[in-house]
Amino acid sequence: MRKQIILIVLIVLCFQMNHVYASSTVQYGNCENELYEWYMSDSQEFHLTGDLVITENYLGKAVDENTPWIEYIGFCQTDISKTIVTGDYSLIIDYDFLWLNPNLKIIGNGTNKSVVVLNKYNEFHYVNIEAKEGSAMTFDKESSFWFCESYGKQFPSQIQAKTTAIDNHSSSRNNSIACAKICSQGEAIISDFDLDIDLSVIDTSTLAETIRLDRSCLNGEWGNCNGEIWELSDPDIEITDPITEKVYVRSYDLFDWSLLPETIEINYCDVPIQWDKEIDFHQTTNTINGTIQIMKEFEPFIESSVSIDVCIKEITPIQDFSIEDLEERLENCYCPFFSMTNPDGYKQAFLEVSLDGKNFDSYDISEEISYSFPNDENRIFFSFQPKFSAVPFDKDYYYCVRIVGGFYEGISNIVKVSKGKIEDVIEIVPDDSSNQNNGNETLPDIVDGNDGHRGDSSRDETGEKEDEVIIEPAQIEALEKTNEDVIVTVGDYQTTVSHQQIQQWKQTNSQVILRVNEQNQITYQIEKEKPQKIDTPTIKINQNQNHYAMKGYIYVLFVVIGLVVVGLMLRRKSNGQ
């Protein structure tokens, strides 16, 4: 009996911990739920048993990385090859759709209707459709479409048909096709309205007057076509962001190939690079050669060979550490703002502070450095608040930084502040074994009033708070240059700060303090102004993500206890008999 109980428990555990899905090489169906279940499975082929219509209720969601705030339905990328076989039927897309899977192919006869019929907006990043007998794809009157530009190893859009590859009835002026391979034994493209095609390869028996070809290849010849006039010319393809910088390493023994750029820009689109992984360990500088993985049709028009220099770089401590400003705070106090070369590759960074130039206290500023954005000269600007936001003018302070790891490992030059004047100090070299916050002897005293208050008088006297983030004007300026929204985290809460909001902050040229209020919303405060809520929603992070797993374990525990109780009762009954 005990063996039976153990066996039952093991079976329950197996089913609870591992979901078992039945898989088949080929699946069949004609409804969108069946298609979605197949798409999420390991099965590679799906055969239609009738026309299949995809509506807004389709469960497959897809997001374009260029517009992540818009959610579409669509075919997201899969790790395995997928094939939809339509036969004499059609796949009908009846809602805005996103095509993102380079591993998906749709094959059908296309005799009665096209293999794929599209009725709404369709955005094609990758599409591969083949019609063995008739038409490959039809765009209905209410549809619109955009084929994205790409120069990778193969054409992102490939449409092949025996009679017609694309049959367009859409009148939208925004329709465009780029970087597509469209082939047909008959008339490849039929369009009721003007249609622009760019940087594509077209094989067709005839070309309609409504088709405008730009920088494209028609039946083996590159050129432009506007109506009936065909002009031969090479396509305009160029490297828009060439590789100019060198890669520096401390040792070839620690060389990481991921340091090399993975892509290069061609016509402002990223194209993969394949590097020759050969290094001469006896040379201080190695030139690594690579090949741009561009599609073969474009190879004659661009130099596909690239190279980059990898150099051994000696470790040199920072020599340009400086104090950019002594901002007056309270009475006879200042807040120092520091500047230095960005310590590339650092693991930790410390601010070394001394009152006598001999005994230094060490304060970890790794987080402050990580929040600092280098300018065009690769310099960063930072402060150390609230610990050093109100330093008394009547005391001499010595400052430097100690970097751990990277190309700037070691102790920087020392800067002295004496009675409001900034001086460079050369002869003093702090010991690497500085006291890290030992006694906080160099910290300004915390007292009531305006003499040596650690931080602004408007702040709590408890040191730096977890639910507070300080953004300096230099950091705000660096954020503004990115032209992007920024995700900020304050304590256990997170929100998005719009680029427009960052521009408004920059105009104030003031420090911005982010806090979490009593309603668990992230607010910002500029100097002595009242805190204001950020427009975008605040979400809580670091939530327990094992909630459902814990429920599963509790469920299993109850099952095991129940089975043991049943077993004991049966055993007692059997002994009684």
Side-chain angles (χ1 to χ4, degrees):
M1 184 65 188
R2 184 176 300 171
K3 292 182 180 180
Q4 293 175 338
I5 294 175
I6 293 173
L7 179 61
I8 295 172
V9 170
L10 290 175
I11 293 173
V12 171
L13 285 172
C14 288
F15 273 97
Q16 176 66 26
M17 303 301 292
N18 296 293
H19 298 288
V20 180
Y21 298 97
S23 61
S24 172
T25 305
V26 180
Q27 294 186 21
Y28 299 85
N30 64 348
C31 72
E32 56 186 359
N33 288 339
E34 293 172 328
L35 178 67
Y36 173 74
E37 291 176 1
W38 163 80
Y39 199 81
M40 301 304 294
S41 73
D42 293 333
S43 179
Q44 292 184 294
E45 285 191 16
F46 186 85
H47 290 246
L48 298 192
T49 57
D51 287 346
L52 195 155
V53 181
I54 293 181
T55 68
E56 60 181 323
N57 299 320
Y58 183 65
L59 296 176
K61 306 301 180 183
V63 176
D64 180 5
E65 61 181 12
N66 297 317
T67 55
W69 55 89
I70 302 177
E71 186 177 71
Y72 296 88
I73 60 172
F75 292 132
C76 57
Q77 185 168 343
T78 58
D79 295 329
I80 62 173
S81 297
K82 292 275 189 178
T83 304
I84 298 175
V85 181
T86 65
D88 292 327
Y89 304 107
S90 297
L91 178 65
I92 302 170
I93 311 295
D94 203 23
Y95 197 73
D96 295 350
F97 206 80
L98 200 59
W99 301 70
L100 297 173
N101 194 358
N103 299 316
L104 173 66
K105 185 172 184 179
I106 304 176
I107 303 175
N109 296 329
T111 49
N112 299 325
K113 288 186 293 188
S114 293
V115 175
V116 177
V117 178
L118 307 118
N119 297 330
K120 302 296 182 181
Y121 172 74
N122 281 262
E123 186 174 310
F124 299 96
H125 292 250
Y126 298 97
V127 62
N128 189 345
I129 301 175
E130 180 182 351
K132 296 180 178 179
E133 301 294 335
S135 174
M137 63 193 312
T138 295
F139 292 100
D140 191 64
K141 293 180 180 180
E142 302 298 324
S143 69
S144 60
F145 55 88
W146 177 68
F147 287 70
C148 73
E149 190 173 342
S150 177
Y151 301 87
K153 203 167 184 179
Q154 63 181 19
F155 280 97
S157 302
Q158 301 185 51
I159 303 150
Q160 306 174 56
K162 188 171 183 179
T163 57
T164 304
I166 297 176
D167 186 6
N168 175 43
H169 303 285
S170 170
S171 60
S172 173
R173 295 183 179 181
N174 297 321
N175 294 337
S176 67
I177 297 176
C179 297
K181 192 170 187 178
I182 305 170
C183 303
S184 173
Q185 297 179 14
E187 189 170 6
I189 308 167
I190 299 175
S191 182
D192 296 341
F193 304 91
D194 290 345
L195 179 61
D196 294 327
I197 300 177
D198 189 22
L199 289 164
S200 298
V201 173
I202 314 294
D203 289 337
T204 181
S205 59
T206 58
L207 188 68
E209 294 183 0
T210 53
I211 307 301
R212 317 290 186 185
L213 293 184
D214 187 22
R215 303 181 297 174
S216 294
C217 180
L218 178 63
N219 296 330
E221 291 184 333
W222 285 91
N224 304 302
C225 180
N226 188 352
E228 297 180 353
I229 303 174
W230 174 254
E231 297 178 353
L232 295 176
S233 65
D234 292 340
D236 182 15
I237 301 174
E238 61 179 355
I239 296 175
T240 46
D241 187 14
I243 297 173
T244 56
E245 298 181 357
K246 297 180 180 180
V247 173
Y248 294 97
V249 294
R250 296 175 58 176
S251 169
Y252 288 133
D253 295 334
L254 304 174
F255 182 63
D256 183 1
W257 285 99
S258 65
L259 295 173
L260 301 185
E262 298 179 354
T263 60
I264 191 170
E265 276 192 9
I266 295 180
N267 287 11
Y268 302 100
C269 294
D270 291 334
V271 179
I273 301 175
Q274 182 176 345
W275 295 103
D276 300 329
K277 296 186 177 181
E278 294 183 4
I279 289 183
D280 186 349
F281 289 88
H282 302 290
Q283 300 290 332
T284 56
T285 300
N286 277 275
T287 299
I288 310 296
N289 297 315
T291 304
I292 302 174
Q293 301 296 288
I294 196 170
M295 55 190 74
K296 63 180 181 179
E297 286 82 359
F298 292 147
E299 287 179 355
F301 311 110
I302 194 168
E303 177 57 54
S304 59
S305 298
V306 292
S307 63
I308 191 170
D309 289 336
V310 179
C311 311
I312 296 290
K313 184 177 180 179
E314 296 182 0
I315 299 173
T316 305
I318 288 174
Q319 299 298 319
D320 60 358
F321 173 72
S322 64
I323 296 179
E324 293 294 316
D325 187 25
L326 300 177
E327 184 178 291
E328 292 190 18
R329 297 285 181 93
L330 307 175
E331 184 178 348
N332 297 323
C333 292
Y334 67 89
C335 175
F337 287 86
F338 307 103
S339 171
M340 67 181 181
T341 296
N342 185 34
D344 297 321
Y346 79 99
K347 292 182 180 178
Q348 279 185 297
F350 298 91
L351 178 66
E352 305 286 336
V353 186
S354 173
L355 293 172
D356 58 8
K358 296 179 181 179
N359 301 302
F360 282 80
D361 284 346
S362 183
Y363 303 92
D364 193 335
I365 56 171
S366 303
E367 186 174 359
E368 282 73 16
I369 299 299
S370 68
Y371 290 151
S372 303
F373 295 89
N375 62 12
D376 295 338
E377 298 175 351
N378 199 35
R379 291 186 64 80
I380 59 173
F381 302 84
F382 63 96
S383 62
F384 190 41
Q385 301 186 36
K387 288 186 173 64
F388 283 87
S389 59
V391 183
F393 274 115
D394 59 359
K395 291 184 180 181
D396 291 347
Y397 271 81
Y398 298 80
Y399 300 94
C400 67
V401 290
R402 177 165 55 90
I403 304 299
V404 179
F407 299 113
Y408 296 93
E409 188 168 49
I411 298 173
S412 75
N413 58 300
I414 299 174
V415 179
K416 177 183 177 182
V417 177
S418 178
K419 297 178 180 179
K421 294 183 178 180
I422 302 172
E423 306 172 3
D424 287 330
V425 180
I426 300 177
E427 64 273 12
I428 300 175
V429 178
D431 188 354
D432 278 344
S433 59
S434 301
N435 297 323
Q436 184 168 349
N437 308 113
N438 184 15
N440 291 335
E441 295 177 358
T442 53
L443 280 177
D445 295 331
I446 302 178
V447 295
D448 294 331
N450 293 331
D451 294 329
H453 189 288
R454 188 190 310 168
D456 294 342
S457 59
S458 61
R459 297 190 189 167
D460 296 335
E461 297 180 353
T462 57
E464 190 170 5
K465 296 182 287 185
E466 292 182 359
D467 291 349
E468 182 178 281
V469 172
I470 300 171
I471 310 177
E472 301 298 340
Q475 295 173 314
I476 295 172
E477 182 177 357
L479 290 172
E480 194 273 336
K481 289 180 179 179
T482 64
N483 294 322
E484 295 180 354
D485 298 344
V486 177
I487 297 175
V488 295
T489 302
V490 184
D492 291 335
Y493 296 88
Q494 191 175 84
T495 190
T496 300
V497 179
S498 68
H499 181 247
Q500 184 179 4
Q501 181 71 75
I502 294 171
Q503 288 178 318
Q504 294 175 359
W505 290 351
K506 180 185 175 184
Q507 292 174 359
T508 66
N509 195 28
S510 303
Q511 184 187 79
V512 175
I513 303 173
L514 303 180
R515 296 188 180 97
V516 178
N517 63 15
E518 295 178 354
Q519 289 77 36
N520 294 329
Q521 295 173 318
I522 295 180
T523 65
Y524 70 91
Q525 182 178 12
I526 301 174
E527 290 188 342
K528 297 181 180 180
E529 296 181 4
K530 293 182 179 180
Q532 301 182 54
K533 289 189 294 185
I534 294 176
D535 294 336
T536 51
T538 298
I539 61 173
K540 186 175 177 69
I541 57 176
N542 297 331
Q543 294 176 337
N544 184 5
Q545 304 200 358
N546 296 320
H547 174 69
Y548 293 106
M550 185 62 67
K551 287 177 65 178
Y553 292 129
I554 294 173
Y555 167 75
V556 171
L557 181 61
F558 275 111
V559 171
V560 171
I561 293 173
L563 291 172
V564 171
V565 171
V566 170
L568 291 174
M569 292 176 62
L570 292 174
R571 184 176 181 181
R572 182 177 298 177
K573 183 177 180 180
S574 118
N575 291 337
Q577 292 176 351

